[in-house]
């Protein structure tokens, strides 16, 4: 596992961790002003949600991934319901990716714009993603690009975009409503069909989906030869080259899936 903050001195709002039968990646999200609604902050929310989810994955084996995510969301919401405005549109939220070994199967869940890639022995990698936020964001891109980044207008457009969050016909993330977990992308496949898997925050997946530096088979090859830090290094170089603001970048690379 490798995780790098967007810039020095800035808190890393990603989280990743693993237990013997599962891996979790959380990508926290917030906008300036969220401190007025939650005194804890986005990094706290991401770490708290990841920790609660890992604990449930370790202790509870007979419930579905959406059910466990829903419980984790509810627990974290209860942790700060009395001190923070958890329902405010700009209060902290997060995307989620989960991988779990269950018997002879690999189960997976993705909520939001994190990415999970299953490296199949007999074919191209299976890429699991949730495209809803990307699709909805396209209509807001002209206004965002026309506004100065960080300006009041820029943040107004972001607020309008995020009004689509956790709404029918919109996109879904972990926040204060456990019912969002029901909207996650889920699936499973036999462990015997896989040689590995990787979970990436969208700050790391941009090596493919934003910069086009390689494809997903290429990502798996780099991971096998050089590890996740090399992926993030290449992303940082591309961000500088294209003058793109850096994002927190996190990768959890899972190998030897059939070995207990």
């Amino acid at each position: 596992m490798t995780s790098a903050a967007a810039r020095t001195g800035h808190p890393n709002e990603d989280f990743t961790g693993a237990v013997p039968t599962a891996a979790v990646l959380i990508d926290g999200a917030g906008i300036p002003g969220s401190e007025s609604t939650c005194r804890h902050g986005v990094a706290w929310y991401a770490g708290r949600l990841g920790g609660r989810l890992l604990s449930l994955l370790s202790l509870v084996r007979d419930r579905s991934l959406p059910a466990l995510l829903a419980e984790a969301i509810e627990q974290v919401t209860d942790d700060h319901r009395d001190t923070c405005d958890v329902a405010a549109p700009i209060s902290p939220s997060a995307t989620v990716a989960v991988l779990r070994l269950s018997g002879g199967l690999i189960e997976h869940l993705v909520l939001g714009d994190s990415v999970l890639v299953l490296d199949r022995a007999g074919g191209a990698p299976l890429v699991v993603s949730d495209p809803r936020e990307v699709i909805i964001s396209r209509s807001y891109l002209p206004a965002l690009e026309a506004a100065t980044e960080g300006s009041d207008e820029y943040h107004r457009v972001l607020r309008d975009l995020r009004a689509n969050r956790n709404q029918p016909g919109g996109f879904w993330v972990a926040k204060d409503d456990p019912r969002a977990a029901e909207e996650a992308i889920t699936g499973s496949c036999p462990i015997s069909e896989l040689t590995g898997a990787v979970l990436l925050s969208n700050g790391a997946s941009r090596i493919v989906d934003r910069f086009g530096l390689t494809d997903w088979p290429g990502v798996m090859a780099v991971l096998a030869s050089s590890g996740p830090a090399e992926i993030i290094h290449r992303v940082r170089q591309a961000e500088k080259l294209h003058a793109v603001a850096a994002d927190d970048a996190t990768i959890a690379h899972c190998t030897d899936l059939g070995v207990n």
Side-chain angles (χ1 to χ4, degrees), residues 25 97 113-117 198-205 207 216 219 231 250-252:
L25 187 146
D113 61 5
S114 291
V115 177
L116 190 149
V117 183
V198 61
L199 295 72
L200 308 97
S201 67
N202 70 339
S205 69
I207 190 171
W216 290 113
V219 166
I231 298 292
T250 302
I251 300 172

Side-chain angles (χ1 to χ4, degrees), residues 29-178:
I31 61 175
S34 62
E35 299 84 359
S36 66
T37 66
C38 176
R39 70 183 191 184
H40 301 97
V42 175
W44 175 91
Y45 182 84
R48 197 82 162 195
L49 181 64
R52 295 282 180 150
L53 185 51
L54 276 175
S55 178
L56 289 168
L57 286 161
S58 180
L59 297 173
V60 182
R61 306 293 180 87
D62 59 349
R63 296 178 65 194
S64 70
L65 294 182
L68 294 180
L69 176 57
E71 184 169 341
I73 293 171
E74 187 167 19
Q75 288 180 2
V76 176
T77 301
D78 287 343
D79 286 344
H80 68 142
R81 189 187 303 277
D82 294 336
T83 59
C84 307
D85 186 0
V86 296
I90 62 172
S91 66
S93 63
T95 71
V96 182
V98 181
L99 192 74
R100 177 172 69 174
L101 307 180
S102 181
L105 295 176
I106 289 285
E107 299 176 317
H108 60 263
L109 175 150
V110 173
L111 181 68
D113 61 5
S114 291
V115 177
L116 190 149
V117 183
L118 302 174
D119 199 14
R120 295 184 289 190
L126 174 64
V127 181
V128 182
S129 62
D130 181 350
R132 287 170 288 190
E133 182 173 1
V134 173
I135 292 170
I136 291 171
S137 296
R138 286 174 185 155
S139 63
Y140 292 86
L141 283 179
L144 282 173
E145 291 172 350
T148 301
E149 186 169 352
S151 66
D152 289 344
E153 175 63 12
Y154 185 87
H155 292 310
R156 184 195 66 77
V157 177
L158 277 181
R159 285 193 295 271
D160 289 347
L161 167 62
R162 288 180 179 177
N164 294 281
R165 183 175 55 184
N166 291 3
Q167 298 291 330
F171 59 92
W172 300 84
V173 293
K175 190 174 174 287
D176 60 298
D177 188 348

